Amino acid sequence: MSQIKIYALDETIELHRDNLSKAIHQALVKELKYPEEKRFQRFIPLESKNFIYPADRSTSYIIIEISMFDGRTKETKKAFIKTLFENINNLCGIDSNDVEITIFETPKENWGIRGENADELQLNYKVSV
């Protein structure tokens, strides 16, 4: 399970929403072995007055926060981040310097999904990859 938040300027999200969604989802499926139908993404558009970032970033600057169950190996997470950078560059033309990714991992018992604690759910994918 993962929940994805994508923060960017409103016009950046408008321009790249579909391809960003595709880039993120393809990386999840490839590297974390997610089922194709699992897609939980929230795009959070910001006005320029509410999105302050360093001068060495462009107006394409995006922040991606990924909340997910813990259990993936260090190598898997690194491969996921690398693939995500590549996908975003290839599908959106956004340079890696304009992308920041943070993964937040929490135990399954800290999640509530479909009326149950996640540690009691039967998942159709493996977390330990």
Side-chain angles (χ1 to χ4, degrees):
M1 176 71 177
S2 67
Q3 294 284 340
I4 317 288
K5 295 179 198 169
I6 302 99
Y7 301 89
L9 290 172
D10 186 31
E11 55 268 18
T12 301
I13 288 178
E14 285 300 314
L15 182 62
H16 297 292
R17 180 185 289 114
D18 291 342
N19 282 332
L20 276 171
S21 177
K22 193 180 301 180
I24 294 165
H25 191 63
Q26 286 176 357
L28 285 166
V29 170
K30 178 181 178 189
E31 303 297 346
L32 301 186
K33 311 302 184 215
Y34 271 47
E36 190 67 39
E37 71 277 3
K38 297 284 185 192
R39 190 181 297 221
F40 300 96
Q41 302 171 351
R42 292 182 301 280
F43 287 87
I44 303 163
L46 300 164
E47 296 177 28
S48 60
K49 68 180 182 182
N50 295 322
F51 196 41
I52 301 167
Y53 49 85
D56 66 341
R57 305 307 197 280
S58 79
T59 56
S60 294
Y61 178 63
I62 59 174
I63 298 171
I64 301 171
E65 294 180 349
I66 303 153
S67 298
M68 64 183 182
F69 298 154
D70 61 2
R72 277 91 182 177
T73 66
K74 177 180 175 180
E75 293 77 19
T76 296
K77 290 181 280 188
K78 288 177 83 166
F80 170 62
I81 289 171
K82 182 178 186 282
T83 298
L84 194 46
F85 279 129
E86 291 170 357
N87 288 358
I88 291 170
N89 185 265
N90 292 338
L91 290 170
C92 304
I94 297 175
D95 186 78
S96 295
N97 189 59
D98 282 328
V99 180
E100 292 190 15
I101 303 164
T102 306
I103 296 174
F104 300 94
E105 293 181 289
T106 55
K108 287 192 264 183
E109 65 267 15
N110 289 359
W111 291 65
I113 302 169
R114 298 186 309 265
E116 295 185 47
N117 281 87
D119 63 343
E120 298 171 4
L121 286 175
Q122 187 69 17
L123 300 174
N124 63 345
Y125 59 94
K126 293 184 181 201
V127 174
S128 54
V129 293

